[in-house]
């Protein structure tokens, strides 16, 4: 009897231990897949594994997985300095954590089949400061890191373990990336709408520190290209570009009559023209500095082979035949401002029973050249419309500290705090008539000061 009790006691203890063991195993597996914190663990080392000079190698769109041609953008990281996408900090705080790569991407809203996943676990480095700088970088290997930014997946390759001191000094001069309220300017070039003769104006709105913003205006479209400036204007006989904007000489002219400018950047210009003899409307895009009939760009020049395929897909979706498309049609496209963004427009020419029909179509093109310099913002259209119901267009500064809102009557600047637009504008300038945006640029720090100086030269000469 004594031995039977001992046996049953041993069995009971064993069963109890087994239950406890199963509980912890099941608990571990359960939380492994349900608790986001379980995929995070601090790595054993906190060495600054992301320090150095990094060069952008590829950009992948997270919406469709397409590859976007990489720019010359660089990333600089040291213990005391970080600079990325024209934003920086001299007081970075680093945090390192090890995560499950796939879970991390899913948690950040990334469809994982768009991204190559070569490893299960990665180290994520979070960098922040006491103001408004925050970025996360994924360590893919010792010479490759990635980040999710602006609905795109960026991959950087290491070029050096260090950052040249001269680069740090140069970028540190751009104090608006560290203190965005130092000096920031906004150039907006507009054209008249609903008038017989189209005219062009550029407004410069400057906010220097805590001073009240100021606005100045000149005739023509004024552009800053890496602190080298040029002016663009048009009349019924020509469209011209000049860097001698004081004397208005040395003009590079494009002999397109009855043309209006729809889009302008530091590198490209898009025109819309009308031929009264043939009753044809035409779009065109040219590269600045190469203005001539021979330099008119095609869809392939702007968007590559994928752009040509997208063009034909758009045509087929609209029910048109692509059999009669020629080189002229592939160049008959341009850029216009529509619904708060730049869009590509094309003209499709159809011939049927000796009748000519011209149709304007929207083109779903992804440029592989740096034609658009503006970035998207976290400030939504709905939020802006709630603040200003009659908004025609709006523009948020790169550091998201101010927003410029265009209506039919005026241009106003508002401050932004915690992604909320202030109730009242800090500045408003009136418009004589309705305007449509042709070009816009944000500049800051030294660039803002130089832009203002050159702009005032033109204003005085006017």
């Amino acid at each position: 009897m004594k031995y039977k009790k001992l046996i049953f006691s041993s069995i009971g203890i064993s069963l109890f231990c087994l239950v406890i063991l199963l509980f912890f195993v099941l608990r571990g597996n359960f939380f492994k897949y349900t608790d986001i914190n379980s995929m995070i663990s601090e790595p054993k080392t906190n060495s600054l594994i992301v320090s150095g000079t990094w060069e952008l190698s590829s950009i992948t769109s997270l919406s469709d997985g397409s590859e976007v041609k990489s720019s010359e953008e660089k990333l600089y990281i040291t213990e005391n300095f970080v600079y990325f996408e024209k934003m920086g900090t001299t007081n970075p705080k680093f945090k390192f954590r090890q995560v499950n790569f796939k879970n991390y991407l899913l948690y950040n809203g990334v469809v994982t089949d768009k991204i190559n996943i070569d490893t299960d676990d990665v180290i994520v480095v979070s960098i922040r400061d006491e103001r408004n700088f925050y970025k996360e970088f994924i360590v893919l290997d010792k010479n490759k890191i990635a980040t999710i930014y602006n609905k795109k997946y960026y991959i950087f390759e290491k070029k050096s373990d260090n950052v040249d001191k001269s680069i740090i000094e140069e970028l540190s001069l751009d104090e608006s990336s560290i203190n965005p309220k130092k000096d920031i300017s906004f150039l907006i070039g507009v054209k008249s709408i609903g008038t017989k003769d189209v005219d062009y104006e550029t407004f410069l709105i400057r906010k220097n520190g805590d001073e009240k913003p100021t606005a100045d205006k000149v005739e023509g479209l004024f552009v800053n290209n890496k602190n080298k400036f040029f002016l663009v204007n048009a009349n019924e006989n020509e469209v011209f570009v000049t860097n001698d904007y004081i004397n208005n000489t040395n003009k590079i002219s494009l002999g397109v009559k009855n043309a209006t400018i729809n889009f302008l950047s530091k590198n490209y210009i898009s025109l819309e023209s009308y031929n009264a003899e043939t009753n044809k409307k035409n779009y065109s895009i040219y590269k600045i500095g190469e203005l001539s009939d021979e330099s008119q760009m095609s869809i392939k020049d702007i968007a590559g082979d994928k752009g040509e395929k997208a063009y034909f897909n758009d045509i087929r979706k609209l029910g048109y035949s692509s059999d009669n498309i020629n080189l002229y049609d592939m160049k008959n496209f341009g850029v216009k401002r529509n619904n708060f963004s730049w869009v590509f427009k094309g003209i499709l020419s159809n011939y049927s029973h000796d009748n000519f029909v011209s149709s304007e179509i929207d083109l779903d093109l992804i440029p592989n050249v740096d034609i658009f310099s503006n970035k998207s913002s976290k400030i939504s259209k709905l939020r802006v419309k709630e603040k200003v119901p009659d908004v025609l267009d709006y523009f948020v500064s790169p550091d998201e500290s101010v927003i410029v809102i265009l209506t039919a009557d005026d241009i106003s600047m508002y401050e932004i705090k915690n992604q909320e637009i202030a109730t009242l504008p800090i500045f408003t300038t009136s418009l004589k008539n309705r305007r449509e945006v042709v070009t816009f640029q944000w500049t800051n720090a030294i660039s803002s000061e130089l832009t203002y100086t050159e702009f005032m030269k033109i204003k005085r000469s006017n």
Side-chain angles (χ1 to χ4, degrees):
M1 190 71 177
K2 181 179 179 181
Y3 291 108
K4 285 184 179 180
K5 289 183 179 180
L6 184 61
I7 292 171
F8 282 122
S9 298
S10 300
I11 294 173
I13 293 171
S14 299
L15 288 173
F16 177 78
C17 293
L18 181 61
V19 169
I20 295 296
L21 179 62
L22 287 173
F23 171 78
F24 281 105
V25 170
L26 291 174
R27 181 179 183 273
N29 281 296
F30 176 79
F31 284 103
K32 179 180 179 181
Y33 295 103
T34 59
D35 184 1
I36 190 67
N37 292 320
S38 70
M39 75 175 190
I40 301 174
S41 63
E42 288 287 344
K44 295 180 180 179
T45 176
N46 278 354
S47 60
L48 196 54
I49 55 178
V50 292
S51 63
T53 299
W54 302 84
E55 189 173 78
L56 183 61
S57 62
S58 70
I59 308 174
T60 303
S61 170
L62 297 180
S63 58
D64 58 11
S66 61
E67 290 286 333
V68 181
K69 186 177 181 180
S70 62
S71 65
E72 296 180 356
E73 194 73 40
K74 286 185 172 60
L75 165 66
Y76 303 101
I77 302 176
T78 71
E79 289 185 339
N80 302 312
F81 180 79
V82 179
Y83 192 90
F84 172 70
E85 281 286 330
K86 300 179 182 178
M87 289 289 292
T89 176
T90 55
N91 187 30
K93 306 297 182 184
F94 296 86
K95 181 179 180 180
F96 302 81
R97 68 188 193 275
Q98 187 169 304
V99 304
N100 177 277
F101 194 10
K102 186 174 182 179
N103 288 348
Y104 174 82
L105 293 174
L106 290 173
Y107 184 69
N108 284 276
V110 178
V111 180
T112 54
D113 61 2
K114 310 292 185 188
I115 304 299
N116 291 327
I117 300 177
D118 298 326
T119 182
D120 292 333
D121 297 322
V122 292
I123 293 176
V124 172
V125 183
S126 303
I127 308 175
R128 66 167 70 244
D129 65 6
E130 296 176 353
R131 295 186 178 93
N132 60 358
F133 185 91
Y134 183 81
K135 284 304 301 177
E136 287 191 345
F137 294 98
I138 308 161
V139 181
L140 302 176
D141 59 45
K142 65 178 183 179
N143 293 316
K144 189 179 295 184
I145 60 176
T147 188
I148 301 166
Y149 177 75
N150 194 23
K151 296 182 180 180
K152 296 181 179 67
Y153 183 73
Y154 289 67
I155 294 180
F156 292 86
E157 292 184 357
K158 180 173 282 190
K159 294 301 174 184
S160 171
D161 290 329
N162 305 305
V163 178
D164 193 290
K165 290 184 179 180
S166 63
I167 293 176
I168 296 177
E169 292 174 358
E170 179 183 350
L171 293 176
S172 295
L173 292 174
D174 186 3
E175 294 183 9
S176 64
S177 64
I178 299 168
N179 180 9
K181 295 185 178 180
K182 180 67 176 179
D183 189 349
I184 189 167
S185 294
F186 180 64
L187 282 170
I188 178 170
V190 293
K191 68 178 180 180
S192 57
I193 299 295
T195 57
K196 182 179 179 181
D197 297 320
V198 178
D199 65 277
Y200 304 88
E201 293 177 329
T202 300
F203 291 84
L204 173 61
I205 303 174
R206 186 186 186 195
K207 187 178 185 301
N208 190 0
D210 294 327
E211 297 177 7
K212 183 179 178 181
T214 60
D216 296 279
K217 181 181 69 174
V218 298
E219 296 177 3
L221 302 171
F222 187 67
V223 178
N224 180 345
N225 183 10
K226 298 180 180 178
N227 293 334
K228 295 181 180 179
F229 305 88
F230 62 87
L231 187 74
V232 180
N233 215 335
N235 53 45
E236 61 181 10
N237 295 316
E238 65 174 352
V239 177
F240 64 86
V241 179
T242 178
N243 54 14
D244 184 13
Y245 34 79
I246 306 302
N247 300 313
N248 206 22
T249 60
N250 299 328
K251 296 190 297 186
I252 302 173
S253 179
L254 178 63
V256 180
K257 295 184 177 181
N258 300 316
T260 58
I261 305 169
N262 285 337
F263 166 80
L264 176 65
S265 69
K266 61 185 180 181
N267 295 317
Y268 298 92
I269 184 171
S270 179
L271 308 179
E272 177 181 334
S273 58
Y274 177 75
N275 190 323
E277 296 179 358
T278 60
N279 195 30
K280 288 182 180 180
K281 177 181 176 181
N282 299 293
Y283 285 133
S284 54
I285 297 179
Y286 301 87
K287 192 165 186 179
I288 297 294
E290 300 176 8
L291 293 182
S292 68
D293 290 334
E294 292 75 20
S295 66
Q296 183 177 348
M297 306 192 77
S298 68
I299 288 175
K300 187 173 183 178
D301 295 329
I302 294 292
D305 293 332
K306 290 184 179 179
E308 286 191 342
K309 291 179 181 178
Y311 174 76
F312 286 112
N313 287 336
D314 289 338
I315 291 173
R316 296 187 189 100
K317 288 177 183 178
L318 294 171
Y320 294 105
S321 171
S322 58
D323 296 337
N324 297 322
I325 300 298
N326 54 38
L327 182 60
Y328 172 80
D329 296 304
M330 301 298 288
K331 289 187 174 183
N332 197 349
F333 78 112
V335 178
K336 291 188 75 172
R337 192 75 178 171
N338 183 44
N339 194 24
F340 311 107
S341 62
W342 297 117
V343 296
F344 285 101
K345 295 278 188 179
I347 301 290
L348 188 62
S349 302
N350 292 317
Y351 298 89
S352 178
H353 303 291
D354 297 327
N355 292 325
F356 174 80
V357 179
S358 180
S359 304
E360 182 174 299
I361 60 175
D362 291 335
L363 300 178
D364 185 20
L365 302 179
I366 300 176
N368 58 10
V369 296
D370 188 19
I371 187 170
F372 304 127
S373 58
N374 52 303
K375 308 293 183 182
S376 62
S377 166
K378 296 178 182 178
I379 309 299
S380 67
K381 303 173 188 176
L382 180 61
R383 194 181 303 176
V384 178
K385 286 184 176 181
E386 288 175 350
K387 184 68 62 176
V388 183
D390 57 345
V391 56
L392 296 178
D393 217 331
Y394 73 95
F395 313 90
V396 180
S397 64
D399 58 17
E400 302 200 345
S401 63
V402 293
I403 180 174
V404 174
I405 298 178
L406 172 69
T407 70
D409 301 316
D410 55 46
I411 303 174
S412 301
M413 176 180 281
Y414 295 76
E415 286 188 315
I416 300 175
K417 293 184 179 179
N418 298 322
Q419 297 184 18
E420 291 295 329
I421 305 172
T423 302
L424 298 175
I426 56 176
F427 182 82
T428 298
T429 182
S430 300
L431 299 173
K432 291 182 179 179
N433 50 39
R434 190 182 179 96
R435 294 281 173 172
E436 184 177 275
V437 177
V438 177
T439 182
F440 68 91
Q441 286 182 289
W442 291 95
T443 60
N444 50 39
I446 294 176
S447 182
S448 175
E449 182 178 349
L450 291 173
T451 301
Y452 177 79
T453 300
E454 293 300 308
F455 198 87
M456 295 307 292
K457 290 180 183 178
I458 302 176
K459 184 176 181 179
R460 286 191 290 270
S461 68
N462 289 160

